[in-house]
């Protein structure tokens, strides 16, 4: 949907999950075997992945200063189910947070969120403000006030609507 570069580090997983649904066309990559395989999901895990996806989308809209697109299960509730493992290297004291079950999507997402919190990148992962889009993008603008996944598509449409309304 957009020409922006992917989110840094583990946030790319979050971005990939949110962007499995194209709101404009209704196409859902989780409906296909290839789409599920990209996220390491079995078919029976799809309902939980969709619930997590929409909770993430609501959070990314909040990052951009917008209300949720619909009622969703709070992300805190979903991520509280994630089993994580913290290991500390006795040689140098460095710590690493990993998913206790690396196959579990919720644990991988929780790990990605935690890593991005430490890196300071979590608030810059946002959802496009266009109501027919809400595509996840990483805001690389200097001030962190990006509004659209793509200035050429969603931004241009919004500006054209505003111009025509005048």
């Amino acid at each position: 949907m957009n020409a922006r570069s992917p989110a840094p580090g583990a946030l790319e997983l979050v971005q990939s999950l949110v962007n499995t649904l194209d709101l404009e066309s209704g196409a859902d990559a989780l409906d296909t075997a290839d789409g599920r395989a990209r996220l390491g999901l079995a078919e029976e895990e799809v309902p939980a992945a969709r619930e997590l996806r929409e909770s993430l989308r609501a959070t990314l809209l909040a990052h951009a200063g917008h209300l949720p697109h619909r009622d969703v299960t709070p992300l805190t509730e979903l991520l509280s189910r994630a089993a994580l493992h913290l290991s500390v290297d006795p040689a140098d004291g460095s710590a690493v947070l990993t998913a206790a079950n690396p196959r579990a999507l919720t644990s991988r997402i929780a790990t990605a969120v935690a890593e991005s919190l430490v890196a300071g990148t979590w608030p810059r992962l946002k959802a496009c403000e266009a109501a027919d889009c809400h595509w996840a993008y990483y805001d690389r603008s200097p001030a962190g006030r990006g509004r659209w996944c793509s200035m050429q598509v969603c931004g241009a449409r919004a500006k054209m609507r505003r111009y025509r309304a005048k």
Side-chain angles (χ1 to χ4, degrees):
M1 176 75 108
N2 68 57
R4 291 181 185 249
S5 58
L11 276 182
E12 188 172 358
L13 173 63
V14 176
Q15 183 179 28
S16 294
L17 175 59
V18 173
N19 291 346
T20 57
L21 177 64
D22 183 338
L23 291 177
E24 191 171 27
S25 71
D28 188 343
L30 298 180
D31 288 336
T32 68
D34 285 343
R36 291 188 299 273
R38 276 185 240 129
L39 293 168
L41 293 174
E43 195 165 351
E44 62 272 8
E45 296 171 303
V46 169
R50 285 188 173 127
E51 181 181 35
L52 180 58
R53 174 183 67 198
E54 296 313 312
S55 293
L56 284 164
R57 188 183 316 278
T59 300
L60 301 185
L61 281 165
H63 284 176
H66 301 289
L67 296 173
H69 60 303
R70 64 179 198 190
D71 287 336
V72 296
T73 305
L75 187 58
T76 299
E77 184 180 320
L78 295 176
L79 294 184
S80 70
R81 303 173 192 162
L84 303 177
H85 180 73
L86 179 66
S87 58
V88 179
D89 186 333
D92 66 3
S94 62
V96 176
L97 184 67
T98 57
N101 176 1
R103 193 165 138 37
L105 180 62
T106 303
S107 294
R108 291 184 286 144
I109 293 290
T111 302
V113 171
E115 286 177 10
S116 68
L117 282 170
V118 171
T121 56
W122 176 239
R124 286 199 174 242
L125 188 61
K126 300 177 179 181
C128 181
E129 76 175 43
D132 59 347
C133 181
H134 294 319
W135 203 251
Y137 68 94
Y138 188 76
D139 184 0
R140 296 181 189 278
S141 67
R145 292 188 294 206
R147 299 172 63 188
W148 302 288
C149 64
S150 168
M151 190 57 219
Q152 292 74 26
V153 180
C154 292
R157 287 177 185 168
K159 289 181 176 193
M160 186 56 70
R161 277 189 217 105
R162 206 167 39 242
Y163 174 77
R164 287 183 179 156
K166 289 180 183 180

